[in-house]
Every structure is written in C-alpha cells, then in structure tokens.
C-alpha cells in the first residue's frame, strides 16, 4: 500500500502526525532484515567487486543469484572479463570481447560497446599503454583548490606565486 494512501486512511481515523513520522515508523527495522534480492545498487557493487574481496555472505548470495538467472550469469562473466582488460593491460583483446558481447542478448552491454566503438583507438590505447592522466589531473585539482582558497582575496600575481611555491 502506498504511504500516501495509508496516511490518508489513518488521518481519517484521527492520526495527527506527519508523513515523515509515518515513513520513519514504517522503515523501522527494515535495514536489518534479510531480503532474497538485494537492491540494484548493492547487486552492482557485488558484481563490480572481485569475488575474493567480497565477504563470504555476499559472495554466496551473489553466486546463488547468478546461478539462478542465465542472463545474469552472462552479464557477470562479461563484466569480469572486461575488468581484466585494463588491470592486465590487455587492450588488444578488446575487439574479441566486443564481438562476444555483440553475440549475446544483453542490450545494456550493447549500448556500452557502441560507446566504446565511437572512440575505439583511444580506448585501446588507454587499456594498453602504461601512461595515464593521473598526475595532470592531480595538478589541476591542486590549482583549483588554491584558486578557491584565494577567491576574492588577492590578485592574480599572488595566486601565481602560491601555485609556484606549492
């Protein structure tokens, strides 16, 4: 029963409280209960985590869910195969992975593959080469932080001096 409908019914019977109070009452204790199917975000986090890094209850729950659905089994396999590409610098295997995904009936992964194909040379380079833009992004973040700290207080010359001294 939707909460708004329940609120209307119990207000007719004289309930003086607010909707927030009712929602808090209804949610009381729900976080502690074990559900058969986890929330989508939790399931995604389980899939994206290495199986060895998952606590035992979550790992067995994920294994039970994956074994009960063939599409979920395929999805988890493709996600884990793709996760191995950047961590092991195997960008040359991306074409094979994309052709395998194209042969499945997982439309959400088809959209992901279409996005990869739009800039395929850059994706392959990112998965293969040992270079990254982490140091540049770190420098940009530092400059932006200094700029925010100086907002409205001084001139460009002082900002430049602070950047060069840091």
């Amino acid at each position: 029963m939707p909460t708004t409908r329940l609120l209307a019914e119990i207000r007719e019977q004289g309930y003086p409280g607010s909707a927030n109070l009712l929602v808090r009452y209804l949610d009381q204790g729900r976080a502690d209960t074990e559900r058969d199917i986890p929330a989508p975000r939790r399931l995604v986090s389980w899939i994206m985590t290495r199986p060895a890094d998952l606590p035992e209850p979550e790992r067995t729950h994920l294994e039970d869910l994956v074994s009960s659905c063939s599409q979920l089994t395929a999805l988890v396999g493709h996600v884990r195969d793709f996760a191995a590409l950047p961590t092991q610098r195997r960008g040359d295997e991306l074409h094979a992975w994309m052709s395998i995904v194209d042969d499945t009936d997982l439309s959400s992964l088809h959209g992901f593959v279409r996005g990869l194909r739009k800039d395929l040379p850059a994706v392959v380079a990112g998965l293969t080469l040992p270079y990254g833009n982490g140091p540049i992004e770190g420098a940009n973040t530092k400059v932006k932080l200094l700029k925010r700290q100086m907002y409205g207080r001084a001139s460009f010359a002082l900002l430049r001096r602070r950047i060069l001294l840091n």
Side-chain angles (χ1 to χ4, degrees):
M1 173 180 289
T3 308
T4 53
R5 186 171 148 202
L6 177 64
L7 181 63
E9 289 181 12
I10 62 175
R11 279 207 172 134
E12 289 175 5
Q13 298 176 8
Y15 173 71
S18 68
N20 287 337
L21 185 61
L22 176 64
V23 168
R24 276 190 273 152
Y25 176 77
L26 293 174
D27 287 341
Q28 194 173 7
R30 286 189 186 179
D32 300 333
T33 61
E34 183 72 24
R35 297 188 301 178
D36 290 339
I37 300 173
R41 284 185 181 202
R42 178 161 295 169
L43 182 60
V44 168
S45 73
W46 291 353
I47 292 171
M48 299 299 290
T49 304
R50 282 188 209 120
D53 294 343
L54 277 174
E56 184 59 34
E58 283 87 359
R59 186 179 329 132
T60 55
H61 197 172
L62 177 63
E63 289 169 359
D64 292 343
L65 289 171
V66 167
S67 65
S68 67
C69 177
S70 61
Q71 284 188 328
L72 191 56
T73 304
L75 175 72
V76 169
H78 293 313
V79 167
R80 290 186 177 157
D81 290 343
F82 182 79
L85 297 179
T87 57
Q88 300 170 3
R89 301 261 181 234
R90 297 184 342 212
D92 52 335
E93 298 176 17
L94 181 64
H95 294 287
W97 181 84
M98 289 190 305
S99 65
I100 290 170
V101 169
D102 284 337
D103 294 339
T104 64
D105 60 344
L106 299 170
S107 60
S108 57
L109 281 183
H110 292 168
F112 178 67
V113 169
R114 275 193 305 274
L116 291 176
R117 284 199 172 108
K118 287 181 180 179
D119 202 9
L120 192 60
V123 173
V124 171
L127 295 175
T128 308
L129 300 173
Y131 312 111
N133 63 344
I136 299 298
E137 290 298 326
N140 287 344
T141 302
K142 191 173 192 179
V143 168
K144 288 179 180 182
L145 176 68
L146 289 170
K147 180 182 166 190
R148 271 188 238 113
Q149 288 174 345
M150 302 261 319
Y151 180 72
R153 293 198 189 133
S155 65
F156 177 74
L158 184 59
L159 175 62
R160 181 178 181 274
R161 186 176 295 160
R162 280 194 71 187
I163 289 171
L164 292 175
L165 289 176
N166 280 322

